[in-house]
Amino acid sequence: MSLTDLMTMAKSNKMLQRQILSQLWEVHPDECFQCMRCTSGCTSLKLLELKPHEIVLLTNSGFVEELVSSDIIWTCASCLKCRERCPQKASPYNTIMALRNLAVEREAKVPEVYMKVVAQILETGLMQQVKMVTSREMQPLNRKKLGLPKIQCPDDKFKSSFMKALGG
Amino acid sequence: MKVAIYWGCEIPTAQYAYEMSIRQVFPHFDIRLVDLKGASCCGGPVRSINTSAAMYLSARNLALSSQTGIEDLLVPCNECHFMLSETKYRIDNDEKMREKIEKLLAEERLTYSSEVKIWHVIDLFHDLVKVDAVKAKVKRRFEGLKFMVHPGCQIIRPSEIGRVDHAERPIKLDALVEALGAETLDYSEKLDCCGAALLHSHKDAALSLAGSKLKAVQSYGVDGFVDSCPYCHMMYDAKQEEAATTVGGKLSLSVLYYTQLLGLALGVDQEKLGLHLNQSFNPNKLDARAKNILIPRGNLDDRL
Ligand code: SF4
Ligand code: SF4
């Protein structure tokens, strides 16, 4: 279903809209005048049909629930072009991040990889395990064989602080 | 001079060539790198889940940096550089966020200080070491070779928080490559994104973004493609073969980190720069174009 379909079917929810606005700092989606400068340079427009100006418009119209449960907010490549170029400091990028945060909070569908990363950070402090790599000649190599020092991971105190940060 | 270094996640767990070449080149400029102890993820991938938790992670690494007593912090990953800079800008200007984060940091007896200066490889060489000083150290010049560069997205935008280069017309990486005697060409796809952020959720789109840029660069007939971010590099180097399937045709473009190219120019053995880890790199091709750029592998005098 396209976003336009969603808009004609759904009811506006001003409370969720306020929640998104309260998440944003020095970013003002409500001042967007739909010039579409963001969309004209968006990395994900051609391949994934992301139209950042539409995300901002729907947010302003209160169709936050629909956005939060749609796949479209997960197609942003984080290139930051829209944030740089927006003449109104509406930053679709930040609006999209706030919508993603709300999707997590409301337990909407979130691409699996994001949750995995959080679990991994809780375990080792880093977002992924140390990998074995292969040279062009297919020789398997690790940090030690390459002469790189051992990684010093954060200790358990970090874990509990990070848990708290996630909770509040 | 001493510079603290924050490696992030992707470099020390996967992109070893970047770490190796960084560790090799900085001592040539009398810069001693000091690793942060107990550093964690910058929070980049956590931002989608919880923005303030992501900023806590960044602030924690900034606090670890202050703990070393060194003011300058080198952050060679574009995503980490953005997250740390964005967090610094936010807590330096938003009292509420600062208080929230300081409370969490206090549990580990860490304190955030706004004194830290965040650098990337590109501006550290261009603005602090200076292009002429780079030029003066070069032993093997890349005379007659042509390169195109990829500065990436997150170190040049958004300019309001202070970035490494101009948001729409970045030129510093070009200047640094030219300092090694090579030529760089400007091209209309220069600002195109590598697509790495989409790799695990929208793989085809990510590969197609990387593939179309590589295809364009290859069509200009350059000798190599130079980047300086572990994510961009992973897309253009390790994923090059896969990316080729999305654009039709074959891709065979040598992709190098700037610090690897610089290392070669300084006369460092290619294996110490991790060049054998670059899947896309074709040493014979480069050697044929620029005599004596590569020290033969197996020349023990030049090894560790
Ligand atoms: S978000 Fe900014 S760039 Fe996009 S349409 Fe609105 S005002 Fe224009
Ligand atoms: S940050 Fe996201 S929405 Fe903005 S231009 Fe880039 S891909 Fe599009």
Side-chain angles (χ1 to χ4, degrees):
Chain A
M1 203 184 308
S2 81
L3 282 176
T4 324
D5 291 337
L6 280 174
M7 210 159 65
T8 50
M9 284 167 59
K11 269 206 228 104
S12 160
N13 183 333
K14 291 289 172 191
M15 204 188 73
L16 283 180
Q17 182 201 0
R18 274 196 299 274
Q19 196 174 337
I20 290 295
L21 292 181
S22 73
Q23 290 288 313
L24 296 169
W25 177 79
E26 288 198 350
V27 171
H28 311 285
D30 44 339
E31 283 177 22
C32 163
F33 49 35
Q34 292 290 296
C35 69
M36 292 194 219
R37 227 177 135 180
C38 51
T39 296
S40 70
C42 175
T43 297
S44 298
L45 169 68
K46 229 168 51 190
L47 295 164
L48 298 165
E49 295 174 27
L50 172 60
K51 300 184 188 81
H53 77 285
E54 218 171 76
I55 304 279
V56 175
L57 178 64
L58 287 171
T59 304
N60 288 340
S61 317
F63 295 109
V64 173
E65 182 103 55
E66 291 67 27
L67 282 169
V68 158
S69 47
S70 109
D71 296 330
I72 198 76
I73 58 170
W74 300 97
T75 59
C76 165
S78 299
C79 73
L80 303 168
K81 284 180 183 163
C82 59
R83 170 143 164 213
E84 176 71 31
R85 293 171 184 170
C86 173
Q88 291 296 91
K89 288 196 117 206
S91 182
Y93 164 80
N94 288 68
T95 309
I96 290 168
M97 289 299 143
L99 289 163
R100 286 184 182 182
N101 285 188
L102 189 61
V104 173
E105 209 182 301
R106 294 174 69 88
E107 294 176 14
K109 52 184 174 198
V110 172
E112 202 189 339
V113 55
Y114 291 95
M115 293 323 224
K116 262 200 198 148
V117 161
V118 171
Q120 183 64 44
I121 296 171
L122 276 169
E123 201 182 312
T124 61
L126 302 183
M127 61 143 206
Q128 65 189 8
Q129 301 264 3
V130 178
K131 286 183 185 167
M132 189 83 159
V133 295
T134 47
S135 69
R136 265 196 314 283
E137 288 88 10
M138 299 308 286
Q139 188 192 4
L141 293 160
N142 57 20
R143 288 186 65 86
K144 197 168 169 214
K145 282 196 188 139
L146 291 165
L148 293 169
K150 241 185 128 195
I151 298 176
Q152 299 167 317
C153 289
D155 56 30
D156 283 346
K157 270 207 210 101
F158 158 73
K159 225 182 259 183
S160 74
S161 306
F162 182 43
M163 282 286 264
K164 269 187 207 159
L166 285 166
Chain B
M1 111 185 241
K2 278 192 200 166
V3 172
I5 181 155
Y6 169 65
W7 296 104
C9 296
E10 183 68 13
I11 299 172
T13 58
Q15 286 295 322
Y16 305 129
Y18 200 17
E19 180 172 345
M20 291 166 79
S21 55
I22 287 172
R23 290 193 190 276
Q24 284 292 331
V25 296
F26 279 97
H28 286 262
F29 299 91
D30 294 319
I31 291 176
R32 222 188 96 203
L33 300 175
V34 178
D35 290 28
L36 300 185
K37 288 196 183 84
S40 61
C41 170
C42 72
V46 179
R47 187 175 189 152
S48 297
I49 302 290
N50 183 326
T51 300
S52 63
M55 290 196 167
Y56 153 73
L57 289 174
S58 266
R60 181 179 176 276
N61 293 309
L62 289 170
L64 288 174
S65 177
S66 304
Q67 221 174 30
T68 63
I70 303 166
E71 213 169 274
D72 298 293
L73 173 67
L74 173 58
V75 185
C77 166
N78 288 19
E79 184 177 20
C80 300
H81 190 284
F82 168 59
M83 256 330 278
L84 264 59
S85 308
E86 172 103 317
T87 300
K88 180 170 171 9
Y89 184 77
R90 175 82 180 257
I91 50 191
D92 287 351
N93 294 289
D94 177 3
E95 197 61 43
K96 253 164 80 189
M97 183 60 103
R98 185 176 178 136
E99 268 171 30
K100 189 171 167 179
I101 283 172
E102 276 179 340
K103 237 164 100 192
L104 288 163
L105 292 177
E107 295 186 9
E108 282 190 274
R109 292 191 188 181
L110 288 169
T111 32
Y112 168 79
S113 151
S114 55
E115 296 305 310
V116 53
K117 165 94 183 103
I118 303 170
W119 297 95
H120 186 269
V121 169
I122 297 178
D123 59 348
L124 188 60
F125 277 122
H126 190 277
D127 304 342
L128 193 70
V129 173
K130 301 257 192 279
V131 176
D132 282 341
V134 174
K135 228 182 249 175
K137 292 269 184 204
V138 169
K139 290 196 190 124
R140 295 156 203 264
R141 291 173 59 80
F142 289 94
E143 223 64 72
L145 261 62
K146 290 194 183 87
F147 292 97
M148 274 174 180
V149 305
H150 172 78
C153 294
Q154 301 199 325
I155 52 165
I156 59 170
R157 287 182 291 269
S159 36
E160 80 214 25
I161 63 168
R163 303 315 282 131
V164 167
D165 205 346
H166 193 282
E168 306 287 353
R169 259 171 298 112
I171 46 152
K172 289 183 183 173
L173 186 50
D174 295 77
L176 289 171
V177 172
E178 282 168 14
L180 314 180
E183 198 186 321
T184 61
L185 306 180
D186 202 3
Y187 60 114
S188 50
E189 297 82 0
K190 190 171 180 180
L191 294 186
D192 288 3
C193 170
C194 73
L198 296 169
L199 187 62
H200 298 289
S201 59
H202 301 79
K203 193 172 180 188
D204 290 344
L207 290 173
S208 161
L209 284 169
S212 40
K213 182 149 180 171
L214 286 168
K215 192 176 170 185
V217 171
Q218 182 170 285
S219 77
Y220 299 118
V222 289
D223 296 292
F225 191 38
V226 183
D227 55 27
S228 60
C229 165
Y231 290 106
C232 304
H233 187 80
M234 178 262 296
M235 292 303 289
Y236 294 136
D237 178 58
K239 299 283 174 202
Q240 185 173 130
E241 226 181 284
E242 239 181 302
T245 62
T246 65
V247 289
K250 207 175 145 10
L251 290 173
S252 63
L253 185 63
S254 284
V255 182
L256 295 97
Y257 281 114
Y258 176 67
T259 41
Q260 291 182 306
L261 200 65
L262 173 61
L264 290 175
L266 295 170
V268 181
D269 180 291
Q270 51 173 310
E271 210 153 288
K272 284 191 200 163
L273 299 167
L275 263 172
H276 53 314
L277 301 177
N278 296 40
Q279 306 299 319
S280 66
F281 181 60
N282 186 335
N284 300 331
K285 229 171 163 177
L286 194 69
D287 229 7
R289 291 273 290 127
K291 287 275 169 261
N292 299 324
I293 281 295
L294 302 175
I295 301 167
R297 286 175 72 175
N299 182 343
L300 287 175
D301 295 346
D302 259 10
R303 296 259 188 99
L304 268 170

